[in-house]
Structure formats: structure tokens, C-alpha cells
Amino acid sequence: MSAVLTRGALARAAGPVLDRVQTELRGSSVAVLLADHRAKVVDIRYGERAFGREVTSLGVVLGVRLGEDEVGVNAIGTPLETRRSLLLRGAEHAMPAFHGFTCFGHPIVHPGTRRLAGVLDFAVPVSRDERLAPALVRHLITEIESRLRTDAAEAQQRLLAAFQSAARRRDRRVLVVGHGLVLATQPALDLLAPADHAAVQACIEDDRENARITLASGQPVRLSWAPVDGTEGTMVDLVVEPRPRRPRAAVPVRWPLLVAGEPGTGKTTVARAAAGDQAAVLDGAETVRVGDAEWAEQASRLLDGAGPALIVENVQLLSEPLAALVAARMRTSRRNLVLTSTPGERDPSIEACCGERRDLVPLRVRRHEVPRLAQRMLTEECAARFTPESLRLLAAQPWPGNLAELRRVVRAVAERRSTGDVVPADLPSSHRNGSVLASPFDRAEREVIVAAIAAAGGNKLEAARALGISRSTLYNRMNALRIR
């Protein structure tokens, strides 16, 4: 009457403790759930099979996430958010399905790193006396945290041994990362700036094996890594690659050029770089202010005339008649034209007239670039510098606003601290915590939903149908994954 999803550090430490609890509670209507720091259930123990089936029928199974974003106030997600224990009786749960239970959840804090490792949740029928639950759960957590400390110490010894073995070759550029420990050989330290450490960490979290990144110094390197046996750590080799001998020649633009990307990805910057400083600008968003007729007159005058390049911003906002007008004038225009658009929302007649399309990649799928970009932006604003932990937190964010959001965060930091080290407390409160998109699975799910919404032209109902889920489920997942 038990199930375990993983044998990670938390599950390893809690396993023997929960084994004993399950034996002691046999025959009782009790469920003990262990969830990790992302509110994902990794271990479940039942006192009796019938009660286990009742809990399972509600969808509380291995691998399910019970964060506040997913199911509202509950005894797993809420303790993770507040770092405090919580007792919920019946209707105090946000989900009606849980109203038949009394649950007590208590956070588990890793004694080595002081980070949240997970939550232990004790659930019984609402009719049962739960007064002993808090004392029992706290006692179990004391044991689990003690075992986590022992497990971490043993793991660090294994990591240290692996590092010492790798460091015997003095010219080897190697890092060992894990369990709150980072070890680096001197050649690796000489190569990496603080921003580079966070970039390497982002590559590991994204599982980008053999990734190629450019360090803050401009040096290109390739990352190769392998897990360290008996730990949750990783050994990373930095393979230096030759620098380009000469700058690449600019590739001629095949006009008209379409620049597509999510809001904040830098479409306007790319458009201006291609069109030049003298380019005229026509913005599709202006139709709301001036009306279609005046906008059409201005567009016809600019597209029919000669002169420097013309940038037409936000073509996805044009009505069908205006899009048809722009497409028709594009075919005969004597200007070099650059158009900007969000993905999947523009009139196909406009795209058919373009000679080249450039798609800008969202920041969330190139997280390893965030540390270098953030530090460069901060250097432009002031004399401060991000600490490695601050850069790690920034790289962990989903960045729905892309580069524009990153720029706003950096400017907020510069206003608070103009010199010295920028520590996590200096970051805006919205960007101090680890991302809800910590796993590659979450990031992949977000990409699928964003693509479905774009393909449906922003229609959430059509996107939900295409994904085979209800509209309410889609909105819940959008909220959990911070899709705006």
C-alpha cells in the first residue's frame, strides 16, 4: 500500500521513515503524502487499501502537482508558498473534491542548503480526530531532515572524490555541481566569470548536453557532462573552442523582411538594425487612434513613395482590408521594407510578399544567455554586478516579457543598488524565487500551450479543443505556467 516515484535525495531520506509509519498505521484511514519542492507527489503511503482507493479516485497519484497555482489552497502547495505548516479541515480546502478530508502539511527544509526540499502531508477523513497529526508530522520531519543531512554529507564526499579524481589532470577545465556544492579546477576558474557559472547551471538544468555557449569574455566553449554516481550532482567539462578568426560578413537581406517574435523579444531592435537609422516607421497599433482611413492614406503615401527603408510595426493588428492594402503596395514599393509581427497572427497575404523571415527565439528557451545579458544590461546602467546566486535566480525565471522584461528588472535593480554586489534581496520580489518552470517538462508544456494559442489566433477555446482539454484546464495551466 505504497508507491514511490523517484529515488532522489528527498525520497531516499524519507523512505525508511515512511516505511515504519506505514507499518504502524496499517488498518487506519490515513494517507501520508511526500511532495518535492515543486509540489509534485513523489511518495504515497496508505493505512488501508480502501482509503487509498478513495484518495486515488480524486487524482492524487504519483507525479501529480498540488501547487497553489494548480489546485488553490491545500496542505502541500500552500506550505511551500508560506514555508509554514498548515492544517485544513474539510471546506477550508479550495477544491471541493478535498472537502471530505482533514490535512496537515509541514514544509521540509534541507538542513545543509536551508532551501525547501518538499512537504509532508498527513490526510485523514474529516470525521476523524486529527489533534495528534501536527505532533506526528513534525516528529517525522525531524527524522527526514536528519537523514537529509547525512545523505548530503555522504553525497558531498562522493562529489569531492569525483572532483579530486578529475583534477589530477592539471589542465582540465572541470566543474562539479550538486548538493549546494560547486567545485572547480583552477583552469576552469580562470575561464569563467560569475555570469558564466549561472549560464552553465542553466544548461545543466535544461539538459543541453554538448551545448555551445559564448562566455562573458567572448570565448566559445562546449559543455560535456555526466552524473556523479550515488549523488544528484554533475561533473561538467569545459571544452574551449577556437574563436572566430574574423567577423562574419553581413548576410544581404532579401527584401521585404519579416521579423516575427513574442512581445519583448527585440523585434524593433532587429528591424532598425536591418533598415538603418534613417528608416521611416509606420505602426499598425496606430489604427486604434487615427482610424483605418487615415492610416490607409498614410500607408499608401509611404509605400508608394521613394526614400529610405520603411518599418511597418505590428502588422498582426491590421484589419483584413488594411492587410490587403499593405500586401498590394508591397509588391510595387520602391523602398526596402521591414515588417514586425507576433507569431502566427498576421494576414498570410503579407507573409507571402516577404522575401525573408527572421524568427526571434523567446528568452525562456535560451536561459543560458540570461546571465550574460543581465550583467551587460546592468553594466550599461551602473557600476554594480550580480552575484552568482542572483544570476542563477534570474536564469530560472520564465521571462514571459522576454528581453523587455529583463531590461525592466535590471533597471529596477540599478535604482536600488548602483555599486557593489547585487544579492538576491536586491531583485524585485517577483523575481527572487526559483521558477515554476524548473523542469524541462514544464518548459516543454508551456511551449506547446503557447504554440496552440498562437495557431488558434489567440482563441483560448479553439486552443483547448486542439489540445484535447477543457477551457478551464487550459486557463489553470496558463496560470500555473505564467502564460500571459
Side-chain angles (χ1 to χ4, degrees):
M1 290 180 286
S2 67
V4 184
L5 182 64
T6 73
R7 294 309 300 175
L10 178 61
R12 284 198 306 271
V17 178
L18 298 183
D19 287 343
R20 189 186 73 250
V21 169
Q22 182 176 330
T23 300
E24 294 172 351
L25 297 177
R26 183 167 290 136
S28 302
S29 297
V30 173
V32 181
L33 287 74
L34 179 71
D36 66 13
H37 67 283
R38 295 189 299 271
K40 181 171 69 175
V41 177
V42 297
D43 198 338
I44 306 176
R45 306 298 175 102
Y46 305 115
E48 60 179 11
R49 293 185 185 277
F51 189 65
R53 286 193 295 269
E54 183 179 351
V55 174
T56 300
S57 69
L58 301 178
V60 180
V61 295
L62 289 177
V64 71
R65 289 187 57 174
L66 298 177
E68 277 200 334
D69 286 336
E70 285 86 8
V71 297
V73 175
N74 69 94
I76 288 180
T78 304
L80 283 175
E81 294 289 337
T82 62
R83 296 180 71 103
R84 300 174 62 182
S85 59
L86 178 67
L87 177 66
L88 292 174
R89 297 182 178 91
E92 292 174 349
H93 290 90
M95 285 191 66
F98 295 164
H99 287 181
F101 300 89
T102 295
C103 299
F104 179 77
H106 196 291
I108 302 170
V109 178
H110 196 294
T113 64
R114 304 310 301 169
R115 293 178 182 170
L116 284 174
V119 167
L120 192 67
D121 177 21
F122 189 91
V124 297
V126 73
S127 58
R128 179 167 175 168
D129 187 349
E130 83 291 336
R131 284 176 294 180
L132 292 179
L136 173 61
V137 171
R138 292 189 179 102
H139 175 71
L140 298 178
I141 285 178
T142 298
E143 288 190 65
I144 293 171
E145 290 179 347
S146 176
R147 293 181 63 85
L148 275 172
R149 181 185 291 107
T150 301
D151 183 79
E154 293 174 353
Q156 286 192 349
Q157 289 298 320
R158 296 188 189 99
L159 289 172
L160 180 60
F163 173 75
Q164 290 172 336
S165 176
R168 288 173 186 164
R169 213 182 77 191
R170 294 186 177 181
D171 62 341
R172 188 174 179 184
R173 301 175 180 88
V174 65
L175 298 171
V176 170
V177 182
H179 290 285
L181 180 72
V182 178
L183 301 169
T185 60
Q186 191 59 49
L189 290 174
D190 293 340
L191 190 65
L192 299 174
D196 300 326
H197 285 275
V200 170
Q201 184 70 39
C203 287
I204 294 172
E205 292 173 357
D206 289 345
D207 198 23
R208 298 181 68 243
E209 175 66 47
N210 290 318
R212 286 173 169 80
I213 64 173
T214 300
L215 303 181
S217 63
Q219 173 65 58
V221 298
R222 178 172 55 84
L223 308 181
S224 176
W225 66 77
V228 178
D229 290 341
T231 76
E232 295 181 349
T234 306
M235 181 177 296
V236 185
D237 274 286
L238 307 172
V239 182
V240 173
E241 298 196 324
R243 293 175 184 255
R245 293 187 177 181
R246 63 185 68 179
R248 294 182 180 178
V251 178
V253 176
R254 298 193 301 275
W255 307 100
L257 170 65
L258 174 64
V259 181
E262 294 180 6
T265 49
K267 298 186 295 296
T268 298
T269 300
V270 173
R272 291 188 179 279
D277 295 336
Q278 303 302 315
V281 178
L282 185 64
D283 194 340
E286 283 291 290
T287 58
V288 176
R289 184 176 66 85
V290 303
D292 282 12
E294 183 175 335
W295 196 92
E297 181 181 346
Q298 185 181 5
S300 298
R301 184 172 64 253
L302 289 170
L303 288 165
D304 290 344
L310 172 64
I311 300 173
V312 184
E313 295 263 33
N314 298 307
V315 296
Q316 80 279 359
L317 299 179
L318 299 179
S319 63
E320 288 187 13
L322 288 181
L325 169 69
V326 170
R329 299 303 174 94
M330 284 172 62
R331 297 185 179 94
T332 58
S333 180
R334 290 170 288 173
R335 292 175 180 264
N336 290 335
L337 301 176
V338 184
L339 301 94
T340 71
S341 171
T342 51
E345 296 181 5
R346 66 200 150 268
D347 192 294
S349 63
I350 289 181
E351 185 165 358
C353 297
C354 294
E356 181 180 345
R357 170 176 165 171
R358 296 181 187 174
D359 290 290
L360 305 185
V361 180
L363 196 55
R364 64 181 173 274
V365 298
R366 48 191 179 104
R367 295 191 311 126
H368 61 285
E369 296 181 20
V370 170
R372 177 170 53 85
L373 291 170
Q375 185 56 64
R376 188 176 71 190
M377 290 179 182
L378 186 63
T379 300
E380 294 171 357
E381 298 287 336
C382 64
R385 59 187 178 275
F386 287 108
T387 64
E389 179 62 13
S390 295
L391 291 169
R392 186 193 68 78
L393 288 174
L394 291 177
Q397 304 302 318
W399 297 111
N402 292 293
L403 290 168
E405 180 186 355
L406 178 60
R407 174 71 72 179
R408 289 194 299 271
V409 169
V410 169
R411 284 177 176 164
V413 167
E415 290 175 2
R416 171 175 285 192
R417 183 175 296 279
S418 59
T419 60
D421 289 340
V422 176
V423 298
D426 295 321
L427 300 177
S429 58
S430 57
H431 292 74
R432 285 179 200 159
N433 298 320
S435 169
V436 296
L437 305 182
S439 74
F441 178 83
D442 286 341
R443 290 190 288 274
E445 182 183 4
R446 191 181 197 280
E447 289 297 313
V448 169
I449 292 175
V450 168
I453 294 171
N459 187 311
K460 307 299 191 302
L461 180 58
E462 290 185 13
R465 288 171 177 166
L467 293 168
I469 59 178
S470 68
R471 183 164 55 177
S472 61
T473 298
L474 175 62
Y475 278 113
N476 286 338
R477 297 310 298 148
M478 289 175 62
N479 184 47
L481 299 170
R482 292 170 65 174
I483 299 173
R484 303 291 184 257

